[in-house]
Amino acid sequence: MDPFQMVVAIVVVVTIGRVLQARYGVRRDWRGNEYSADRDNGASAAENARLRDEVRTLKDRVQVLERVITDNNSSMRLDQEIEKLRSKDNA
């Protein structure tokens, strides 16, 4: 193995190691000590709660839309359902 191939092999091994560390959340400072990558858990928890509420709202809207589309009623019912959705958005 010539020196160029050895350098390329070392770079590949180090790169794969860094990718695996990033993938599994292992963080190290400049001295090599591991530390937790969790930052601002309070804000993350609040953001998670907000996103859960938004997902729940969107699921409810999808259920209504599925029901409206699968029903074979007149366009009047469709107009009522759309107005209900609009009133929920404004509230």
Side-chain angles (χ1 to χ4, degrees):
M1 182 180 273
D2 67 14
F4 179 71
Q5 289 176 338
M6 177 121 10
V7 169
V8 170
I10 290 170
V11 168
V12 168
V13 168
V14 169
T15 302
I16 291 172
R18 292 292 182 163
V19 167
L20 290 174
Q21 283 180 344
R23 171 75 172 111
Y24 294 109
V26 177
R27 305 279 191 241
R28 295 178 190 259
D29 61 8
W30 63 278
R31 293 183 179 178
N33 300 323
E34 288 186 16
Y35 66 92
S36 176
D38 295 334
R39 295 175 299 223
D40 201 8
N41 285 336
S44 296
E47 179 72 9
N48 286 341
R50 186 188 67 76
L51 291 173
R52 280 190 193 101
D53 290 339
E54 185 175 347
V55 167
R56 187 176 305 117
T57 303
L58 291 173
K59 283 183 178 181
D60 291 341
R61 293 183 77 179
V62 167
Q63 284 178 346
V64 169
L65 290 172
E66 287 173 346
R67 189 176 62 238
V68 167
I69 289 173
T70 57
D71 284 348
N72 290 331
N73 293 337
S74 68
S75 64
M76 187 66 155
R77 176 151 165 87
L78 178 61
D79 289 339
Q80 290 172 351
E81 291 291 334
I82 290 173
E83 288 304 318
K84 260 194 233 179
L85 290 174
R86 286 185 182 149
S87 67
K88 281 185 182 180
D89 282 343
N90 293 336

